[in-house]
């Protein structure tokens, strides 16, 4: 039973923590080509601080933890942190989000440590389009990670941001991965988190359009049940092993059941992906406050949570100013 609830009665039991804002890709939808101004290392939470924070969170009834970034494997000794976190008694499920470039060599150990699942960013199966979208020629490494995850039977979600004019021809080939592999391929609406502002006046590839595109190709596409608190609506092609998800990340149709607590790379708490950040947890961890006092501040922050992503966006200090890069937030 979760202890932590927000002011709208939503239980909070899932912490997403960005361990770095650095990334070895420059995805078009995430950051400008020249990159973003990275945080100095001392501004990142240390492994000790992360371990303390995760321990506090588990004592507040948060058993599910995801490490994200930036690219988590760009942070040196990430595996050391993972080894520590799996030892925390209250951590039931530890998940990772990665672009797969540096991940493959660690997969056997991740399996041994009992990693619950890996989300792999995979916007295309075409090397040329991969280079155009990510501005790096790294497709082979990402694909090697996908293969190794499947071989090691680690649950995988392959995430593709759907971008008009960039990877529409990849929707069906990506969905085809579910024919013989037991994985979840998820198509995500593009959000304006690129540090630059929206790429188009209006989102073209909405969740409805993505679904219509899939249905036109797969008349047997069936809605299947969604896991609790899932942000994706799940479907399956008759006879295929895996499933297909669609995430209405920009349309924000799932806020009513949002169970997520986000901590950015600079140690700031976000009660919604679309807010400005509401509490400087790093500052609290570096003060002489006790664990109980820090937990009380976190609880208090969730008593002022916006009801949905639209309200959170409207409450931003400058709602017209571009959102930060997703690389500091973690997705
Ligand atoms: N480096 C890791 C990776 O590539 O998965 C973790 C961090 S990345 C910021 C987390 C997720 O956010 C990825 O699946 C990425 O595709 C997604 N993402 C980043 N910017 C986005 C945007 N503007 N709209 C939708 N999804 C975005």
């Amino acid at each position: 039973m979760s202890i932590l609830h927000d002011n709208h009665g939503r239980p909070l039991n899932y912490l997403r923590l960005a361990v770095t804002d650095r990334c070895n890709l420059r995805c078009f939808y995430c950051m400008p080509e020249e990159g973003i101004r990275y945080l100095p290392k001392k501004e990142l939470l240390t492994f000790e601080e992360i371990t303390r924070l995760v321990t506090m969170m588990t004592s507040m009834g948060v058993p599910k933890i995801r490490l994200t970034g930036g690219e988590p494997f760009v942070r040196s000794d990430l595996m050391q942190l993972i080894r520590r976190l799996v030892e925390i008694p209250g951590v039931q499920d530890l998940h990772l989000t990665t672009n797969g470039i540096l991940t493959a060599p660690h997969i056997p150990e991740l399996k041994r440590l009992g990693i619950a699942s890996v989300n792999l960013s995979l916007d295309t199966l075409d090397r040329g389009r991969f280079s155009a979208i990510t501005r790096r020629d790294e497709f082979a490494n990402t694909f090697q990670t996908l293969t190794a995850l499947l071989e090691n039977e680690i649950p995988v979600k392959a995430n593709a941001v759907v971008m008009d004019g960039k990877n529409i021809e990849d929707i069906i080939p990506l969905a085809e991965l579910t024919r013989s592999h037991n994985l979840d391929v998820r198509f995500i609406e593009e959000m304006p988190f690129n540090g630059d502002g929206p790429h188009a006046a209006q989102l073209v590839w909405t969740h409805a359009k993505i679904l219509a595109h899939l249905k036109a190709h797969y008349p047997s596409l069936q809605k299947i049940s969604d896991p609790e608190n899932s942000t994706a609506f799940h479907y399956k092609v008759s006879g295929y092993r895996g499933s297909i998800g669609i995430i209405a990340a920009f349309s924000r149709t799932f806020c009513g059941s949002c169970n997520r607590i986000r901590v950015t790379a600079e140690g700031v708490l976000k009660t919604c992906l679309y807010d400005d950040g509401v509490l400087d947890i790093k500052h609290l961890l570096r003060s002489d406050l006790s664990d109980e006092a820090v937990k009380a501040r976190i609880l208090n922050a969730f008593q002022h949570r916006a009801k949905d992503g639209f309200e959170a966006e409207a409450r931003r200090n400058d709602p017209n100013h571009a959102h930060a890069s997703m690389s500091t937030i973690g997705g």
Side-chain angles (χ1 to χ4, degrees):
M1 193 52 182
S2 174
I3 304 169
L4 191 55
H5 281 80
D6 71 12
N7 47 327
H8 304 283
R10 290 173 289 205
L12 301 155
N13 49 24
Y14 176 16
L15 171 66
R16 301 173 58 99
L17 202 140
V19 296
T20 179
D21 57 344
R22 288 172 195 257
C23 193
N24 41 8
L25 295 181
R26 290 289 175 276
C27 299
F28 153 87
Y29 50 77
C30 189
M31 60 167 102
E33 184 156 17
E34 64 278 13
I36 53 172
R37 184 144 17 122
Y38 287 137
L39 295 166
K41 185 140 194 266
K42 65 178 188 343
E43 297 301 329
L44 298 177
L45 294 181
T46 63
F47 285 178
E48 286 68 31
E49 287 164 343
I50 292 174
T51 306
R52 182 179 168 208
L53 178 61
V54 169
T55 306
M56 281 192 275
M57 285 290 182
T58 58
S59 76
M60 296 170 90
V62 179
K64 176 174 176 181
I65 314 290
R66 174 177 303 280
L67 301 183
T68 175
E71 171 49 37
F73 282 98
V74 165
R75 180 134 183 201
S76 47
D77 296 328
L78 178 77
M79 290 305 296
Q80 251 183 45
L81 176 66
I82 293 177
R83 286 179 210 123
R84 277 194 207 188
L85 296 184
V86 295
E87 290 297 318
I88 297 174
V91 173
Q92 278 171 22
D93 291 332
L94 184 66
H95 304 254
L96 259 179
T97 302
T98 176
N99 60 31
I101 294 175
L102 301 171
T103 316
H106 302 291
I107 289 174
E109 185 178 6
L110 289 172
K111 175 77 179 175
R112 280 199 302 281
L113 293 174
I115 197 88
S117 80
V118 172
N119 284 8
L120 180 71
S121 289
L122 185 67
D123 300 318
T124 172
L125 291 172
D126 176 87
R127 180 179 164 191
R129 283 196 291 278
F130 186 98
S131 297
I133 293 167
T134 67
R135 301 171 176 130
R136 298 288 185 272
D137 184 16
E138 295 282 2
F139 175 71
N141 286 321
T142 299
F143 198 73
Q144 188 191 358
T145 289
L146 176 65
T147 308
L149 288 168
L150 292 170
E151 279 171 6
N152 282 272
E153 295 180 350
I154 294 176
V156 193
K157 291 176 187 159
N159 288 330
V161 178
V162 179
M163 294 158 281
D164 198 37
K166 299 263 182 208
N167 64 345
I168 303 312
E169 53 276 73
D170 289 294
I171 295 177
I172 301 306
L174 285 165
E176 271 301 295
L177 289 172
T178 68
R179 180 194 285 266
S180 45
H181 298 294
N182 183 17
L183 87 168
D184 192 16
V185 172
R186 307 188 315 168
F187 297 103
I188 308 175
E189 286 179 351
E190 186 182 352
M191 296 178 272
F193 293 97
N194 50 37
D196 228 2
H199 285 142
Q202 251 194 328
L203 181 69
V204 179
W205 284 86
T206 62
H207 61 108
K209 189 168 164 92
I210 298 168
L211 179 59
H213 186 82
L214 287 163
K215 275 192 169 154
H217 191 85
Y218 297 117
S220 73
L221 194 73
Q222 287 287 320
K223 178 79 189 78
I224 56 172
S225 60
D226 301 312
E228 208 183 350
N229 303 116
S230 172
T231 51
F233 294 102
H234 289 85
Y235 302 85
K236 206 173 169 77
V237 180
S238 175
Y240 281 23
R241 287 187 70 201
S243 55
I244 298 172
I246 302 178
I247 304 184
F250 184 70
S251 306
R252 287 160 261 185
T253 54
F254 42 68
C255 301
S257 61
C258 180
N259 63 341
R260 289 154 166 73
I261 303 162
R262 289 184 164 83
V263 176
T264 67
E266 56 203 323
V268 170
L269 176 73
K270 283 167 82 77
T271 59
C272 173
L273 179 56
Y274 284 83
D275 73 26
D276 264 336
V278 297
L279 182 68
D280 186 346
I281 294 191
K282 180 178 66 205
H283 176 77
L284 300 181
L285 293 173
R286 291 181 185 178
S287 71
D288 55 8
L289 285 182
S290 66
D291 286 5
E292 289 313 309
V294 176
K295 289 198 277 189
R297 298 287 292 273
I298 294 172
L299 263 173
N300 180 55
F302 274 100
Q303 297 322 302
H304 305 278
R305 195 183 193 204
K307 72 172 186 308
D308 57 30
F310 295 101
E311 186 176 294
E313 194 167 34
R315 280 192 199 169
R316 281 157 44 96
N317 284 334
D318 179 0
N320 297 320
H321 188 264
H323 283 276
S325 159
M326 197 68 101
S327 203
T328 65
I329 306 170

